[in-house]
Amino acid sequence: MKHDKLAQMSQVTEAVYLAEFRKVQPLLQEETRLRGALARLNEQADSERKALATDMPMQTIGADLLWQAWLVRSRKQLNIELSQVLAKKSVVMERIRLAFGRRNAVQAMSDRFITDRAIAQRKKQFERLLQNHSDG
């Protein structure tokens, strides 16, 4: 394979890898946002649970049950959204792994080509030196 082809392949595989890598950034940000929202919800639930345990008027009117129902719905919705993001992230990460592997394979082929070419050039130079030395 010619070096120009390897250089072109290297550029293409690098571009594909970077394009796939860019796709995961918004998913990572969304995952972080959702995990943060779940953590805040859990902190809020702990805090409210302690407050409602001692607030008899709120228990009497059923506010504690309404709170629990809202908490369950909110946690469920956040977990559904997080699951969807993680599923998308899994698909994109697999594409990144494939693109990374292709990029590395092409880079290894290019490196090998350059090394083989350098060895061949040195061998030719050495043979010329031997030829010149034997002629002289």
Side-chain angles (χ1 to χ4, degrees):
M1 186 173 283
K2 298 228 182 233
H3 185 64
D4 326 355
K5 288 281 187 193
L6 283 173
Q8 288 174 350
M9 285 176 56
S10 182
Q11 289 174 347
V12 168
T13 56
E14 181 70 19
V16 169
Y17 170 73
L18 292 174
E20 292 297 337
F21 191 78
R22 279 191 292 274
K23 290 177 187 175
V24 81
Q25 295 303 319
L27 295 172
L28 293 173
Q29 291 169 348
E30 184 64 7
E31 177 187 2
T32 300
R33 185 191 71 76
L34 290 167
R35 289 186 187 277
L38 279 166
R40 285 187 301 281
L41 188 63
N42 288 334
E43 289 171 9
Q44 189 179 7
D46 290 342
S47 173
E48 290 297 320
R49 191 176 6 263
K50 291 172 188 170
L52 286 173
T54 59
D55 193 343
M56 289 309 238
M58 292 299 273
Q59 290 177 6
T60 305
I61 63 170
D64 58 336
L65 296 177
L66 292 173
W67 164 253
Q68 287 299 323
W70 176 85
L71 180 63
V72 168
R73 282 191 314 274
S74 297
R75 187 175 285 136
K76 180 181 175 182
Q77 183 59 39
L78 287 171
N79 279 319
I80 288 170
E81 290 176 34
L82 180 59
S83 295
Q84 291 170 342
V85 167
L86 292 175
K88 289 176 187 175
K89 178 182 155 189
S90 175
V91 170
V92 172
M93 291 303 289
E94 182 58 29
R95 288 181 185 156
I96 289 172
R97 279 189 283 279
L98 288 171
F100 181 78
R102 287 182 185 121
R103 182 186 77 164
N104 284 353
V106 169
Q107 185 61 50
M109 288 170 37
S110 180
D111 292 347
R112 182 65 187 184
F113 178 85
I114 291 168
T115 301
D116 289 350
R117 189 170 59 181
I119 289 170
Q121 287 174 345
R122 287 188 198 117
K123 185 177 175 183
K124 283 182 184 178
Q125 288 174 346
F126 182 71
E127 289 171 355
R128 273 191 240 126
L129 284 173
L130 286 177
Q131 183 66 33
N132 288 343
H133 183 65
S134 65
D135 289 344

